[in-house]
Short mmCIF file of all heavy atoms in Angstrom, two decimals:
data_model
loop_
_atom_site.label_atom_id
_atom_site.label_comp_id
_atom_site.label_asym_id
_atom_site.label_seq_id
_atom_site.Cartn_x
_atom_site.Cartn_y
_atom_site.Cartn_z
N PHE W 8 -5.74 -9.26 24.58
CA PHE W 8 -6.85 -8.49 23.89
C PHE W 8 -6.26 -7.36 23.03
O PHE W 8 -6.77 -7.08 21.94
CB PHE W 8 -7.90 -8.05 24.82
CG PHE W 8 -8.67 -9.23 25.52
CD1 PHE W 8 -8.26 -9.72 26.67
CD2 PHE W 8 -9.77 -9.83 24.79
CE1 PHE W 8 -9.06 -10.80 27.26
CE2 PHE W 8 -10.45 -10.84 25.31
CZ PHE W 8 -10.11 -11.33 26.57
N GLN W 9 -5.28 -6.76 23.58
CA GLN W 9 -4.62 -5.61 22.82
C GLN W 9 -4.02 -6.23 21.47
O GLN W 9 -3.99 -5.54 20.43
CB GLN W 9 -3.64 -4.90 23.67
CG GLN W 9 -4.30 -4.20 24.90
CD GLN W 9 -3.22 -3.63 25.81
OE1 GLN W 9 -2.47 -2.70 25.31
NE2 GLN W 9 -3.31 -3.84 27.08
N ILE W 10 -3.35 -7.32 21.62
CA ILE W 10 -2.72 -7.96 20.44
C ILE W 10 -3.79 -8.35 19.46
O ILE W 10 -3.65 -8.14 18.26
CB ILE W 10 -1.84 -9.18 20.85
CG1 ILE W 10 -0.62 -8.68 21.60
CG2 ILE W 10 -1.39 -9.96 19.59
CD1 ILE W 10 0.25 -9.79 22.25
N ILE W 11 -4.84 -8.99 19.98
CA ILE W 11 -5.94 -9.42 19.02
C ILE W 11 -6.52 -8.26 18.21
O ILE W 11 -6.59 -8.28 17.02
CB ILE W 11 -7.11 -10.07 19.84
CG1 ILE W 11 -6.70 -11.42 20.38
CG2 ILE W 11 -8.31 -10.29 18.92
CD1 ILE W 11 -7.66 -12.07 21.27
N ILE W 12 -6.84 -7.13 18.97
CA ILE W 12 -7.42 -5.93 18.28
C ILE W 12 -6.42 -5.31 17.26
O ILE W 12 -6.73 -4.97 16.20
CB ILE W 12 -7.96 -5.00 19.27
CG1 ILE W 12 -9.03 -5.56 20.08
CG2 ILE W 12 -8.37 -3.67 18.65
CD1 ILE W 12 -9.57 -4.76 21.26
N SER W 13 -5.11 -5.18 17.70
CA SER W 13 -4.14 -4.59 16.88
C SER W 13 -3.91 -5.37 15.71
O SER W 13 -3.77 -4.77 14.57
CB SER W 13 -2.88 -4.32 17.70
OG SER W 13 -3.07 -3.55 18.82
N VAL W 14 -3.70 -6.65 15.80
CA VAL W 14 -3.41 -7.59 14.71
C VAL W 14 -4.56 -7.59 13.77
O VAL W 14 -4.43 -7.44 12.53
CB VAL W 14 -3.13 -8.98 15.16
CG1 VAL W 14 -3.05 -9.83 13.89
CG2 VAL W 14 -1.79 -9.02 15.89
N ARG W 15 -5.78 -7.64 14.22
CA ARG W 15 -7.03 -7.61 13.45
C ARG W 15 -7.10 -6.38 12.55
O ARG W 15 -7.27 -6.41 11.36
CB ARG W 15 -8.25 -7.79 14.20
CG ARG W 15 -9.61 -7.87 13.38
CD ARG W 15 -10.73 -7.37 14.21
NE ARG W 15 -10.60 -6.00 14.66
CZ ARG W 15 -11.55 -5.37 15.31
NH1 ARG W 15 -12.60 -6.01 15.73
NH2 ARG W 15 -11.31 -4.16 15.66
N ASP W 16 -6.86 -5.20 13.20
CA ASP W 16 -6.95 -3.95 12.49
C ASP W 16 -5.82 -3.80 11.55
O ASP W 16 -6.02 -3.24 10.49
CB ASP W 16 -6.98 -2.76 13.55
CG ASP W 16 -8.23 -2.77 14.44
OD1 ASP W 16 -9.24 -3.39 14.06
OD2 ASP W 16 -8.27 -2.03 15.45
N GLY W 17 -4.62 -4.28 11.94
CA GLY W 17 -3.48 -4.14 11.04
C GLY W 17 -3.66 -5.00 9.81
O GLY W 17 -3.37 -4.59 8.62
N VAL W 18 -4.25 -6.22 9.91
CA VAL W 18 -4.48 -7.09 8.73
C VAL W 18 -5.58 -6.50 7.87
O VAL W 18 -5.47 -6.52 6.67
CB VAL W 18 -4.84 -8.51 9.30
CG1 VAL W 18 -5.29 -9.39 8.03
CG2 VAL W 18 -3.68 -9.17 9.95
N LYS W 19 -6.69 -5.98 8.54
CA LYS W 19 -7.79 -5.41 7.69
C LYS W 19 -7.36 -4.21 6.95
O LYS W 19 -7.96 -3.89 6.00
CB LYS W 19 -8.99 -5.14 8.70
CG LYS W 19 -9.61 -6.37 9.19
CD LYS W 19 -10.77 -6.01 10.20
CE LYS W 19 -11.92 -5.35 9.50
NZ LYS W 19 -13.02 -5.05 10.57
N ALA W 20 -6.32 -3.50 7.43
CA ALA W 20 -5.85 -2.27 6.83
C ALA W 20 -5.00 -2.55 5.57
O ALA W 20 -4.67 -1.60 4.80
CB ALA W 20 -5.01 -1.44 7.83
N ILE W 21 -4.54 -3.85 5.33
CA ILE W 21 -3.73 -4.12 4.23
C ILE W 21 -4.67 -4.23 2.96
O ILE W 21 -5.66 -5.01 2.97
CB ILE W 21 -3.14 -5.57 4.34
CG1 ILE W 21 -2.19 -5.55 5.57
CG2 ILE W 21 -2.30 -5.95 3.17
CD1 ILE W 21 -1.58 -6.93 5.94
N PRO W 22 -4.42 -3.45 1.96
CA PRO W 22 -5.23 -3.41 0.78
C PRO W 22 -5.23 -4.80 0.13
O PRO W 22 -4.22 -5.51 0.04
CB PRO W 22 -4.58 -2.38 -0.18
CG PRO W 22 -3.77 -1.53 0.83
CD PRO W 22 -3.35 -2.42 1.95
N GLU W 23 -6.45 -5.15 -0.41
CA GLU W 23 -6.55 -6.47 -1.02
C GLU W 23 -5.66 -6.61 -2.22
O GLU W 23 -5.16 -7.67 -2.58
CB GLU W 23 -8.00 -6.77 -1.38
CG GLU W 23 -8.85 -7.10 -0.25
CD GLU W 23 -8.48 -8.46 0.41
OE1 GLU W 23 -7.95 -9.36 -0.28
OE2 GLU W 23 -8.55 -8.49 1.70
N ASN W 24 -5.44 -5.49 -2.87
CA ASN W 24 -4.55 -5.57 -4.21
C ASN W 24 -3.10 -5.93 -3.91
O ASN W 24 -2.34 -6.13 -4.78
CB ASN W 24 -4.82 -4.33 -5.03
CG ASN W 24 -4.39 -3.08 -4.26
OD1 ASN W 24 -3.72 -3.08 -3.20
ND2 ASN W 24 -4.85 -1.98 -4.80
N THR W 25 -2.74 -5.78 -2.53
CA THR W 25 -1.37 -6.13 -2.21
C THR W 25 -1.05 -7.49 -2.47
O THR W 25 0.03 -7.97 -2.72
CB THR W 25 -1.19 -5.73 -0.69
OG1 THR W 25 -1.53 -4.40 -0.39
CG2 THR W 25 0.30 -5.88 -0.39
N TYR W 26 -2.15 -8.41 -2.34
CA TYR W 26 -1.95 -9.83 -2.60
C TYR W 26 -1.93 -10.21 -4.07
O TYR W 26 -1.66 -11.34 -4.45
CB TYR W 26 -3.02 -10.58 -1.81
CG TYR W 26 -3.03 -10.44 -0.31
CD1 TYR W 26 -3.81 -9.41 0.32
CD2 TYR W 26 -2.33 -11.26 0.46
CE1 TYR W 26 -3.77 -9.33 1.70
CE2 TYR W 26 -2.28 -11.19 1.82
CZ TYR W 26 -3.00 -10.11 2.47
OH TYR W 26 -3.05 -10.06 3.86
N ASP W 27 -2.33 -9.18 -4.89
CA ASP W 27 -2.59 -9.66 -6.35
C ASP W 27 -1.26 -10.06 -7.10
O ASP W 27 -1.25 -11.02 -7.82
CB ASP W 27 -3.15 -8.39 -7.06
CG ASP W 27 -4.57 -8.15 -6.67
OD1 ASP W 27 -5.17 -9.04 -6.00
OD2 ASP W 27 -5.08 -7.00 -6.99
N VAL W 28 -0.11 -9.41 -6.69
CA VAL W 28 1.14 -9.79 -7.33
C VAL W 28 1.48 -11.25 -6.94
O VAL W 28 1.90 -12.01 -7.81
CB VAL W 28 2.30 -8.83 -6.90
CG1 VAL W 28 3.58 -9.29 -7.38
CG2 VAL W 28 1.92 -7.40 -7.29
N LEU W 29 1.33 -11.58 -5.69
CA LEU W 29 1.65 -12.97 -5.32
C LEU W 29 0.69 -13.96 -5.87
O LEU W 29 1.11 -15.09 -6.21
CB LEU W 29 1.68 -13.08 -3.80
CG LEU W 29 2.75 -12.30 -2.98
CD1 LEU W 29 2.64 -12.39 -1.50
CD2 LEU W 29 4.15 -12.86 -3.38
N THR W 30 -0.55 -13.51 -5.99
CA THR W 30 -1.58 -14.50 -6.51
C THR W 30 -1.19 -14.72 -8.04
O THR W 30 -1.30 -15.83 -8.51
CB THR W 30 -2.97 -13.85 -6.40
OG1 THR W 30 -3.22 -13.64 -5.11
CG2 THR W 30 -4.02 -14.82 -7.06
N SER W 31 -0.74 -13.69 -8.70
CA SER W 31 -0.48 -13.81 -10.12
C SER W 31 0.70 -14.75 -10.43
O SER W 31 0.81 -15.31 -11.49
CB SER W 31 -0.21 -12.49 -10.72
OG SER W 31 0.96 -11.90 -10.16
N ILE W 32 1.60 -14.89 -9.46
CA ILE W 32 2.76 -15.79 -9.60
C ILE W 32 2.58 -17.16 -8.94
O ILE W 32 3.47 -17.94 -8.85
CB ILE W 32 4.03 -15.16 -9.14
CG1 ILE W 32 3.94 -14.86 -7.60
CG2 ILE W 32 4.43 -13.93 -9.92
CD1 ILE W 32 5.33 -14.45 -7.08
N GLY W 33 1.32 -17.41 -8.56
CA GLY W 33 0.91 -18.65 -7.98
C GLY W 33 1.33 -18.91 -6.57
O GLY W 33 1.47 -20.16 -6.16
N ALA W 34 1.46 -17.88 -5.80
CA ALA W 34 1.93 -18.03 -4.37
C ALA W 34 0.73 -18.66 -3.53
O ALA W 34 -0.41 -18.27 -3.82
CB ALA W 34 2.30 -16.71 -3.87
N GLY W 35 1.20 -19.47 -2.61
CA GLY W 35 0.11 -20.10 -1.78
C GLY W 35 -0.23 -19.26 -0.59
O GLY W 35 0.27 -18.11 -0.39
N THR W 36 -1.10 -19.73 0.27
CA THR W 36 -1.54 -19.03 1.45
C THR W 36 -0.46 -18.77 2.37
O THR W 36 -0.31 -17.66 2.98
CB THR W 36 -2.64 -19.83 2.18
OG1 THR W 36 -3.73 -20.06 1.25
CG2 THR W 36 -3.15 -19.08 3.38
N VAL W 37 0.47 -19.73 2.63
CA VAL W 37 1.63 -19.55 3.52
C VAL W 37 2.51 -18.50 2.97
O VAL W 37 3.00 -17.71 3.79
CB VAL W 37 2.37 -20.88 3.66
CG1 VAL W 37 3.60 -20.65 4.52
CG2 VAL W 37 1.50 -21.97 4.33
N GLN W 38 2.82 -18.50 1.75
CA GLN W 38 3.69 -17.46 1.17
C GLN W 38 3.06 -16.05 1.30
O GLN W 38 3.80 -15.07 1.59
CB GLN W 38 3.93 -17.79 -0.32
CG GLN W 38 4.83 -19.04 -0.54
CD GLN W 38 5.01 -19.35 -1.98
OE1 GLN W 38 4.02 -19.51 -2.69
NE2 GLN W 38 6.18 -19.66 -2.42
N LYS W 39 1.82 -15.89 1.01
CA LYS W 39 1.10 -14.64 1.31
C LYS W 39 1.16 -14.17 2.70
O LYS W 39 1.39 -13.04 3.00
CB LYS W 39 -0.41 -14.74 0.83
CG LYS W 39 -0.52 -15.00 -0.65
CD LYS W 39 -2.09 -15.09 -1.06
CE LYS W 39 -2.22 -15.39 -2.50
NZ LYS W 39 -3.69 -15.51 -2.84
N PHE W 40 1.06 -15.17 3.65
CA PHE W 40 1.18 -14.86 5.00
C PHE W 40 2.54 -14.19 5.37
O PHE W 40 2.60 -13.19 6.04
CB PHE W 40 0.83 -16.03 5.80
CG PHE W 40 1.14 -15.94 7.33
CD1 PHE W 40 0.26 -15.18 8.14
CD2 PHE W 40 2.34 -16.39 7.89
CE1 PHE W 40 0.54 -15.04 9.51
CE2 PHE W 40 2.54 -16.25 9.25
CZ PHE W 40 1.65 -15.57 10.02
N TRP W 41 3.63 -14.98 4.98
CA TRP W 41 4.94 -14.54 5.35
C TRP W 41 5.39 -13.24 4.64
O TRP W 41 6.15 -12.48 5.17
CB TRP W 41 5.92 -15.63 5.07
CG TRP W 41 5.92 -16.72 6.03
CD1 TRP W 41 5.44 -18.05 5.88
CD2 TRP W 41 6.32 -16.67 7.29
NE1 TRP W 41 5.62 -18.72 7.02
CE2 TRP W 41 6.11 -18.00 7.98
CE3 TRP W 41 6.90 -15.58 8.19
CZ2 TRP W 41 6.35 -18.22 9.28
CZ3 TRP W 41 7.22 -16.01 9.51
CH2 TRP W 41 6.95 -17.27 10.07
N ASN W 42 4.88 -13.00 3.41
CA ASN W 42 5.40 -11.89 2.65
C ASN W 42 4.48 -10.66 2.71
O ASN W 42 5.02 -9.49 2.49
CB ASN W 42 5.57 -12.36 1.19
CG ASN W 42 6.71 -13.26 0.90
OD1 ASN W 42 7.88 -12.94 1.02
ND2 ASN W 42 6.36 -14.60 0.75
N VAL W 43 3.29 -10.77 3.14
CA VAL W 43 2.36 -9.65 3.14
C VAL W 43 1.68 -9.50 4.50
O VAL W 43 1.79 -8.43 5.15
CB VAL W 43 1.26 -9.78 2.00
CG1 VAL W 43 0.27 -8.58 2.12
CG2 VAL W 43 1.92 -9.77 0.65
#
């Protein structure tokens, strides 16, 4: 449960615009996961 809450909060804290660069170069879901 500590991992669940920590990971959830950590992921939610990532700004959405962080993914914009990868989206603009056509990166897929897996690439976004590994890089961001």
Side-chain angles (χ1 to χ4, degrees):
F8 293 96
Q9 298 179 51
I10 291 175
I11 290 174
I12 294 174
S13 297
V14 171
R15 184 205 61 181
D16 293 346
V18 171
K19 289 175 70 174
I21 300 174
E23 284 297 324
N24 57 16
T25 309
Y26 296 92
D27 292 345
V28 175
L29 291 177
T30 303
S31 65
I32 61 175
T36 304
V37 175
Q38 290 173 311
K39 292 178 181 179
F40 169 78
W41 282 111
N42 292 283
V43 177

